[in-house]
Amino acid sequence: MKWLFLFVVLLNAAFLSWHSFVQDKQEKNQESIYGPPVSEKIHLLSEAPAVTEQDYNARTEANESLEEALGKVIDEASGDSPELFCPRLETERDEDKKQVTQVLKSFGWSYKDREVSGKRPKFWLYIAAPETPAIAERIVKELASKSIDSFVINRAEMKNRISLGLYSSKERADQAKTRIENVSGYAVDVYEHMRNVPLQQIDIAQPVDEKDWEQFMSRFDLTKMMIKVEKNPC
């Protein structure tokens, strides 16, 4: 629609220039009509004919109107209006979803939510399997005395490994690894893998601009949340 309006304005400008040119040409081609002599200033061939103040003001007014209209079209086409998008948020934990919905309600934004399934990275901490199951059990008791939860795995390929827990972010896994190593004195390994988990998907059901979105996101501490954000076009 913006480009159509720009085309119409340019077409009007072209018509105005053509009309002025044709009118000037017709005035020059008019036949002389006899009339009583009047006083008229004589111009040399090298001099341009005088333009009356009325003609000058009319042309200036038309040019200013045309420039103003073109300026408005260019401003609109240059993207002065804010870009809008319809965000989607995905959370793994119920407490994160509860926090998001509370902020949505405080902003008065409508939304739709549903449960889906998706793959997310997980980080498993463990101590390598010792030589015998008896040693593995002894290590578990040592860890328990230092308030570290663990258990021995009995599955074939992981037999006698000592599990220390599953984490949903690499940052938290690395923090736990450092803490356990410092307290227990045992080396801790991290195994990263993808796992299917239930997700809470929240679609904001109205267009949002960048300024409002920044205000919305400022209400969360993203370092403490497991949340995925998509800024989808509406």
Side-chain angles (χ1 to χ4, degrees), residues 40-208:
E40 184 178 357
K41 183 178 179 180
I42 299 175
H43 298 279
L44 298 178
L45 292 176
S46 60
E47 292 180 337
V51 178
T52 67
E53 184 179 354
Q54 184 178 1
D55 290 341
Y56 176 79
N57 290 339
R59 292 182 184 179
T60 302
E61 225 175 272
N63 288 337
E64 287 178 351
S65 298
L66 181 59
E67 288 178 4
E68 184 179 353
L70 286 172
K72 288 181 179 178
V73 174
I74 293 172
D75 287 343
E76 291 177 1
S78 64
D80 287 344
S81 56
E83 182 182 0
L84 301 177
F85 51 92
C86 294
R88 167 177 291 175
L89 302 97
E90 285 183 355
T91 64
E92 291 185 45
R93 301 182 303 194
D94 290 338
E95 56 266 33
D96 291 340
K97 180 190 175 183
K98 183 178 179 180
Q99 186 178 354
V100 170
T101 54
Q102 284 177 344
V103 177
L104 284 170
K105 290 176 182 177
S106 70
F107 272 65
W109 291 355
S110 57
Y111 65 92
K112 297 178 181 179
D113 64 313
R114 60 175 179 166
E115 184 172 309
V116 297
S117 178
K119 289 185 177 295
R120 289 291 182 271
K122 299 296 176 182
F123 303 87
W124 176 48
L125 270 59
Y126 67 95
I127 295 174
E131 295 178 357
T132 65
I135 297 176
E137 291 293 344
R138 178 173 59 79
I139 293 174
V140 168
K141 290 180 181 179
E142 286 182 24
L143 295 174
S145 67
K146 297 176 181 179
S147 301
I148 299 174
D149 294 330
S150 63
F151 63 90
V152 178
I153 297 177
N154 294 318
R155 283 183 293 179
E157 70 277 8
M158 298 183 182
K159 191 173 180 61
N160 290 338
R161 286 186 184 180
I162 300 165
S163 177
L164 300 169
L166 191 66
Y167 294 81
S168 296
S169 73
K170 190 175 188 308
E171 182 182 2
R172 293 182 182 180
D174 289 340
Q175 289 174 353
K177 168 184 164 68
T178 301
R179 179 180 61 83
I180 294 172
E181 286 179 337
N182 292 338
V183 172
S184 69
Y186 291 101
V188 176
D189 294 319
V190 180
Y191 174 67
E192 180 180 352
H193 63 291
M194 300 297 291
R195 176 177 289 191
N196 264 325
V197 296
L199 302 170
Q200 301 298 322
Q201 196 173 82
I202 304 169
D203 289 324
I204 297 178
Q206 65 181 63
V208 178

